[in-house]
Amino acid sequence: MATATATSPARERRPSTSAPLSDFKGPVGPSFTRPKHKRTVTGFGPGEIKSVEASIPEPRREAWKKIAPKPFSTPDEFEKEAVRHIETTLARSLYNCDEFAAYAGTALAFRDRLVLDWNKTQQNQTFTDQKRVYYLSLEFLMGRALDNAMLNVGQKDTATKGLSELGFRMEDIISQEHDAALGNGGLGRLAACFLDSMASLNYPAWGYGLRYRYGIFKQEIIDGYQVEVPDYWLDFNPWEFQRHDVTVDVQFYGHVNRWQDDEGKTQCSWEGGEIVQAVAFDVPIPGYSTGTCNNLRLWGSKAASGEFDFQKFNSGEYESSVADQQRAETISAVLYPNDNLERGKELRLKQQYFWCAASLHDIVRRFKKTKRAWKEFPNQVAIQLNDTHPTLAIPELQRILVDVEGLEWDDAWSIVQKTFGYTNHTVLPEALEKWSVPLMQYLLPRHLQIIYDINLNFLQWVERSSPKDRDLLSRVSIIEESNPKMVRMAYLALIGSHKVNGVAELHSDLIKTTIFKDFVSIYGPDKFTNVTNGITPRRWLHQANPRLSELIASKLGGHEFLKDLTLLHKLENFVDDKEFRKEFREIKYANKVRLAKLIKETTGDTVNPAALFDIQVKRIHEYKRQQLNIFGVVHRYLQIKAMTPEEKKKAQPRVSIFGGKAAPGYWMAKTVIHLINQVGKVVNHDPDVGDLLKVIFLEDYNVSKAEIICPASDISEHISTAGTEASGTSNMKFCLNGGLIIGTCDGANIEITREIGDENIFLFGNLAEDVDDLRHSHLYSKYELDEHLAKVFDAIHSGMFGDAGSFSALLNGIVEHGDYYLVSDDFASYIKTQGLIDESFKNTEEWTTKMILSVARMGFFSSDRCIDEYAESIWNVEQLAPKKEEAL
């Protein structure tokens, strides 16, 4: 035996897992032949699909079809899918299946169903090879996905029956889901509504964003103060697919190498520095009542060198062995890291470039698969910049085309300008993004060079048309000559795009007369347009207010209004129908009871659903003027305290409800939250007041809470200083659910007034054209505080609501520092209008008519209308209907 072993030839050992397919020669089994093609994880170009299809033998095609999964359509089929996931994916059984397990099984069953449409949609879009839209937004405030998926594929009733048979209630299951923490305010919710509309209207479109591990933050209220804690929303997320093979190396820091090639042309290459890897996570976006299911691609960050340095670990450097990974992961950890510190600014800029670079790489790779000439790029690709956050995509595409693909500068720049569109969301000069030149030089040296070159070419072009206006050149320069010099991102976005749009008529007019006035004179008015914002009726009516949706469907003969919201106008025929009015009021009351229950569960306070519910929920910011609202509440409190018992009997009970997050570094906004909570603590426990006034702050406001809040409002507050709110979309959500508005002549309030009639909205305050004069007079003329507001301030100074020093900065900003947001100027008008609301609410029949007419006249404010306008006037993109077999 020993001898035989010694003379045996050495056996070649090969690792079994690393044998590539190409190593197999000839047949490799009784009925298998060598694979004919290598499938790539990112798919084929349109030209390759036919040849690949032809290479698959018919018997295999038939075998695949025979066992291919089919979408469920009955309660039994749904139960089978859900229970299979509960038992095999979660390893649970009948005995330990709680509500979370039932949610997980339901979500996975619906996710599987979406994937079938998702695959067909992506194949159809690739095969058709027409122009696609890429929507770049730093925020996508998606909310919960399960309810939306069930309604959009038309199977919520099926699932409700199935879950009932298994012993669960649908509302309990839905409440198990975490909100996707990918946004903060209106910007992100608009992006989410747009994704829904693009899918529902069958536009070939992708969203690109960042996968924030901890969201913006979870808000807790402790002793009346906002406290930020991580939002662990990714603990279980069945709606995303990690694309392990779709990764992009993103470069930071380093230096630029310039040289001349053999033809004498100057070449540049960006070298050295740090590489961070972007990893793709895909989320299916189902359209309503269609087979189209688009894609949202989110980028996560990880160290390119790997998660773990074994050498450092072995030498005892345990912390630094994972340092690269931790540093890389911070890029996609949190939305809007606090930028009060220089390191915070660097992280924000890093975040923005990381996302833009990964997205552009993906878009360019997809285009190159079509093997078209580069001049065709704008005919295949439309990129929309949602505000200035993705502006670095402009120099990044220029860098790719010039440095990597070798195009001439002018040819590349022509492609860039035809590709991008830019949506502006603010007229506040201080809110326009700027980055310091030294920071950009340090982090993105090649991009700074490109921005300087873009700026030089632009200024030379401007000088040729306006040779004697030197001041104009400094005003429109992308580089602000301050100390340090700053890069004006809004100007770069404008110059690099073929269209710039505002988001409401007033806003679009204001940007042309204020922040972009000089550019209108340079480019002419045609470069600028308006697309008034909208909301998706699927989530904000059908999902958030199902009873109202069913009532409307019963009168209009079906749910077609969810795809064509203008059909709501037919409700005006029923405005005098007694049964309709009665049911409309009952639905509103039931929604108020539901909100009262949420308030009791989250705050412990009991509120009367018969009282007037007055709601202001949105990002906390001085220009949105939550401070005006809470000062008005204090004024009402002081009035109630001064009333006789007889006067109290006649007073209108009111519940003032606030919600929203303040940015971690925004101290003034946090002070407003503290004041609201302190006022609530006093008012809610004052026996003299009772149910006449309650003040509620709902912590951690998010989309799923909004779906309970919006249907329950009697009046909602949209009271920004005139000329500061670009549009606002919560005003539309409240109106669509039969809530009336108190508001200033600002943003979309103006167009809502035009649509629903000024008799159905409560407007107050100064107009946008008077704001500058008022601000000037505050500083240079006699400034007197409104007498009613002065009494409110006296009460706060007296310590009625706790330590007056806590609120001194807020009050001094109004009394001593110019009252920039015109709180005092508008206060008398505000409280007078609130008195009119009290009287109107007491007249139930009049109020009911106002509610019904508000809903009936909201057809214009659908995000479907917005997307059709973008598609026609900015993107030049066509709808792509799903193939017949894909239709539901």
Side-chain angles (χ1 to χ4, degrees):
M1 233 11 220
T3 314
T5 306
T7 57
S8 297
R11 179 164 158 247
E12 186 185 359
R13 298 185 67 89
R14 296 184 61 184
S16 60
T17 53
S18 68
L21 285 175
S22 56
D23 271 16
F24 297 119
K25 304 286 191 284
V28 289
S31 62
F32 296 96
T33 54
R34 185 169 68 252
K36 288 190 173 61
H37 62 265
K38 188 178 177 186
R39 179 74 166 86
T40 64
V41 74
T42 54
F44 294 102
E48 298 160 306
I49 290 177
K50 283 183 181 175
S51 62
V52 169
E53 277 190 330
S55 75
I56 302 171
E58 193 58 37
R60 290 186 200 168
R61 211 186 293 247
E62 287 304 315
W64 186 281
K65 277 184 186 172
K66 194 166 63 180
I67 58 169
K70 306 279 191 300
F72 60 80
S73 57
T74 68
D76 284 351
E77 289 171 349
F78 161 73
E79 286 172 55
K80 185 179 174 185
E81 287 292 302
V83 170
R84 179 177 65 80
H85 275 298
I86 291 166
E87 294 213 339
T88 62
T89 310
L90 304 177
R92 299 276 192 106
S93 67
L94 174 64
Y95 306 103
N96 63 352
C97 178
D98 56 10
E99 285 175 353
F100 178 77
Y103 156 69
T106 303
L108 289 164
F110 272 92
R111 185 201 67 180
D112 289 355
R113 198 184 189 291
L114 291 189
V115 168
L116 301 178
D117 285 338
W118 192 31
N119 283 336
K120 289 174 187 170
T121 300
Q122 300 311 314
Q123 288 161 14
N124 189 26
Q125 290 179 3
T126 301
F127 189 74
T128 311
D129 194 24
Q130 67 182 57
K131 189 173 188 177
R132 287 196 211 196
V133 177
Y134 297 102
Y135 197 82
L136 268 59
S137 180
L138 200 55
E139 296 184 38
F140 286 97
L141 200 53
M142 303 300 290
R144 290 173 174 159
L146 175 59
D147 203 6
N148 183 249
M150 291 190 294
L151 290 167
N152 278 13
V153 300
Q155 296 294 334
K156 186 171 183 179
D157 288 345
T158 303
T160 303
K161 286 173 191 159
L163 285 168
S164 177
E165 288 177 12
L166 295 172
F168 295 98
R169 292 191 324 154
M170 178 57 82
E171 50 267 44
D172 297 332
I173 299 311
I174 288 171
S175 69
Q176 295 295 312
E177 183 175 358
H178 274 295
D179 271 48
L182 295 167
N184 178 29
L187 183 88
R189 188 51 235 172
L190 181 78
C193 283
F194 281 3
L195 289 183
D196 178 86
S197 285
M198 287 188 280
S200 296
L201 295 171
N202 300 321
Y203 285 106
W206 281 42
Y208 277 104
L210 278 175
R211 180 182 179 266
Y212 304 105
R213 190 156 187 81
Y214 307 112
I216 181 164
F217 57 82
K218 187 171 185 289
Q219 180 192 55
E220 292 183 358
I221 301 299
I222 298 174
D223 297 331
Y225 289 97
Q226 170 180 295
V227 176
E228 302 91 21
V229 298
D231 186 349
Y232 296 106
W233 70 284
L234 283 170
D235 285 352
F236 175 75
N237 180 21
W239 305 104
E240 68 176 14
F241 291 83
Q242 183 173 353
R243 303 294 199 190
H244 293 278
D245 289 27
V246 183
T247 60
V248 180
D249 285 342
V250 179
Q251 186 176 359
F252 297 102
Y253 313 112
H255 62 277
V256 179
N257 202 3
R258 282 180 183 266
W259 78 95
Q260 286 201 327
D261 63 15
D262 296 340
E263 296 168 9
K265 184 180 170 187
T266 301
Q267 300 284 3
C268 292
S269 62
W270 181 17
E271 298 171 1
E274 174 187 62
I275 302 289
V276 176
Q277 195 171 68
V279 183
F281 292 79
D282 286 350
V283 181
I285 306 293
Y288 174 74
S289 193
T290 175
T292 297
C293 188
N294 282 336
N295 194 42
L296 169 61
R297 178 157 285 179
L298 303 170
W299 298 105
S301 54
K302 61 185 261 190
S305 57
E307 296 181 16
F308 186 68
D309 189 322
F310 225 118
Q311 307 309 317
K312 284 184 179 176
F313 187 84
N314 281 345
S315 59
E317 299 173 52
Y318 304 129
E319 289 81 8
S320 63
S321 67
V322 291
D324 285 353
Q325 177 67 5
Q326 288 177 337
R327 193 167 66 252
E329 283 184 349
T330 57
I331 293 174
S332 60
V334 175
L335 168 66
Y336 301 137
N338 187 351
D339 63 354
N340 289 357
L341 303 168
E342 278 307 310
R343 289 194 68 191
K345 288 184 172 65
E346 182 184 330
L347 180 56
R348 271 206 191 190
L349 186 58
K350 218 172 181 181
Q351 217 175 41
Q352 290 185 8
Y353 177 66
F354 172 82
W355 152 59
C356 289
S359 303
L360 258 292
H361 181 277
D362 209 40
I363 293 165
V364 167
R365 175 193 57 73
R366 196 169 296 115
F367 172 77
K368 286 175 77 171
K369 281 197 308 189
T370 68
K371 298 181 170 57
R372 282 182 160 86
W374 279 109
K375 66 173 190 266
E376 293 289 307
F377 191 82
N379 300 331
Q380 291 297 108
V381 173
I383 302 176
Q384 191 66 28
L385 307 176
N386 192 27
D387 214 351
T388 53
H389 309 124
T391 304
L392 284 169
I394 289 172
E396 173 65 6
L397 182 55
Q398 184 73 1
R399 184 189 72 82
I400 292 168
L401 295 176
V402 174
D403 293 2
V404 181
E405 301 297 337
L407 272 68
E408 294 293 335
W409 178 276
D410 290 346
D411 294 339
W413 185 240
S414 172
I415 290 167
V416 169
Q417 284 187 305
K418 289 173 185 169
T419 299
F420 287 99
Y422 160 49
T423 302
N424 172 274
H425 284 276
T426 183
V427 290
L428 301 175
E430 66 272 19
L432 293 175
E433 262 195 319
K434 296 175 188 175
W435 294 106
S436 82
V437 167
L439 174 59
M440 198 168 277
Q441 172 71 49
Y442 172 59
L443 190 67
L444 303 168
R446 178 60 182 136
H447 294 78
L448 184 65
Q449 287 181 355
I450 289 169
I451 290 167
Y452 266 100
D453 287 343
I454 290 168
N455 195 42
L456 178 63
N457 290 342
F458 170 68
L459 293 180
Q460 286 175 342
W461 177 70
V462 171
E463 191 172 39
R464 286 196 292 274
S465 54
S466 305
K468 294 181 180 166
D469 197 344
R470 292 284 172 87
D471 287 344
L472 175 66
L473 295 181
S474 66
R475 290 199 306 270
V476 300
S477 172
I478 296 170
I479 307 299
E480 180 181 272
E481 297 296 328
S482 51
N483 188 19
K485 291 182 179 180
M486 305 292 281
V487 181
R488 297 159 161 160
M489 301 308 275
Y491 289 8
L492 177 58
L494 187 154
I495 292 163
S497 300
H498 64 96
K499 273 286 189 203
V500 177
N501 72 284
V503 289
E505 283 179 13
L506 173 67
H507 170 235
S508 295
D509 288 341
L510 282 171
I511 62 174
K512 287 193 285 188
T513 55
T514 57
I515 52 174
F516 297 148
K517 182 179 178 182
D518 289 319
F519 292 96
V520 176
S521 68
I522 292 166
Y523 287 109
D526 289 351
K527 188 178 175 101
F528 300 85
T529 188
N530 174 62
V531 182
T532 298
N533 282 345
I535 58 173
T536 170
R538 273 80 61 179
R539 183 176 288 268
W540 294 111
L541 179 56
H542 193 46
Q543 181 176 325
N545 202 344
R547 276 187 65 189
L548 182 57
S549 182
E550 289 310 310
L551 176 63
I552 293 169
S554 71
K555 295 299 180 189
L556 301 190
H559 287 97
E560 287 77 16
F561 68 93
L562 293 172
K563 288 289 276 268
D564 180 3
L565 202 60
T566 58
L567 294 173
L568 285 180
H569 75 89
K570 294 180 182 176
L571 285 180
E572 292 200 39
N573 299 332
F574 304 97
V575 75
D576 297 320
D577 180 323
K578 283 187 181 173
E579 276 304 305
F580 179 71
R581 293 168 69 87
K582 180 169 173 281
E583 193 167 351
F584 198 98
R585 282 196 295 266
E586 285 173 0
I587 291 168
K588 176 61 76 174
Y589 187 78
N591 287 328
K592 291 171 73 175
V593 170
R594 181 174 65 158
L595 177 55
K597 188 172 168 230
L598 176 71
I599 290 169
K600 180 69 176 171
E601 287 169 0
T602 55
T603 69
D605 290 310
T606 303
V607 299
N608 178 7
L612 188 156
F613 277 20
D614 172 350
I615 299 175
Q616 187 179 20
V617 283
K618 50 186 78 213
R619 215 161 36 91
I620 309 293
H621 198 291
E622 287 168 279
Y623 88 81
K624 291 181 184 285
R625 296 204 297 189
Q626 286 91 351
Q627 68 273 34
L628 173 60
N629 187 346
I630 193 61
F631 294 152
V633 169
V634 173
H635 174 263
R636 180 177 291 267
Y637 174 63
L638 297 175
Q639 280 187 314
I640 293 169
K641 292 285 281 181
M643 285 179 183
T644 64
E646 284 305 308
E647 286 172 324
K648 283 181 183 176
K649 284 179 189 172
K650 294 176 187 170
Q652 171 57 51
R654 187 181 282 236
V655 181
S656 284
I657 299 165
F658 296 82
K661 295 177 180 179
Y666 192 176
W667 180 248
M668 200 69 93
K670 287 180 153 183
T671 304
V672 172
I673 292 175
H674 183 48
L675 179 59
I676 293 166
N677 284 299
Q678 291 303 102
V679 170
K681 191 192 290 186
V682 172
V683 171
N684 298 347
H685 299 98
D686 189 332
D688 292 343
V689 175
D691 272 356
L692 283 179
L693 183 62
K694 295 286 184 192
V695 181
I696 305 296
F697 189 93
L698 285 168
E699 72 178 17
D700 203 38
Y701 175 60
N702 57 21
V703 175
S704 50
K705 286 193 177 80
E707 288 166 23
I708 295 172
I709 293 166
C710 289
S713 86
D714 293 308
I715 201 83
S716 62
E717 308 225 5
H718 309 276
I719 55 177
S720 51
T721 310
T724 61
E725 185 71 88
S727 167
T729 51
S730 63
N731 42 12
M732 302 167 193
K733 290 158 199 159
F734 284 108
C735 275
L736 186 60
N737 284 281
L740 304 189
I741 282 178
I742 177 172
T744 48
C745 292
D746 198 23
N749 287 354
I750 295 167
E751 286 152 276
I752 290 173
T753 305
R754 187 174 67 206
E755 293 293 320
I756 70 175
D758 54 11
E759 69 280 7
N760 299 314
I761 189 168
F762 297 92
L763 295 175
F764 76 95
N766 286 283
L767 301 178
E769 54 261 36
D770 301 323
V771 168
D772 282 344
D773 289 343
L774 285 165
R775 283 174 176 161
H776 185 271
S777 69
H778 290 178
L779 294 171
Y780 301 107
S781 306
K782 192 178 178 190
Y783 172 67
E784 278 188 25
L785 200 62
D786 176 86
E787 58 177 317
H788 301 292
L789 188 60
K791 288 175 185 171
V792 169
F793 284 10
D794 288 344
I796 296 170
H797 281 306
S798 74
M800 185 180 284
F801 306 108
D803 177 20
S806 302
F807 313 116
S808 58
L810 183 62
L811 305 193
N812 290 345
I814 295 165
V815 178
E816 295 172 13
H817 300 297
D819 189 12
Y820 188 77
Y821 295 104
L822 311 190
V823 173
S824 178
D825 299 86
D826 285 347
F827 192 71
S829 172
Y830 176 68
I831 58 175
K832 182 182 176 187
T833 307
Q834 290 284 18
L836 295 175
I837 290 167
D838 286 338
E839 293 310 307
S840 183
F841 187 73
K842 289 174 187 173
N843 185 338
T844 306
E845 292 304 323
E846 178 189 291
W847 192 270
T848 304
T849 300
K850 289 176 186 291
M851 287 197 298
I852 293 169
L853 290 176
S854 290
V855 175
R857 295 172 181 175
M858 283 301 290
F860 176 75
F861 298 100
S862 167
S863 50
D864 293 355
R865 185 260 317 150
C866 304
I867 291 302
D868 279 334
E869 288 182 18
Y870 276 103
E872 187 177 337
S873 64
I874 298 176
W875 300 333
N876 190 27
V877 65
E878 301 287 331
Q879 290 161 310
L880 176 62
K883 288 180 181 174
K884 285 286 184 278
E885 67 269 19
E886 291 172 44
L888 298 178

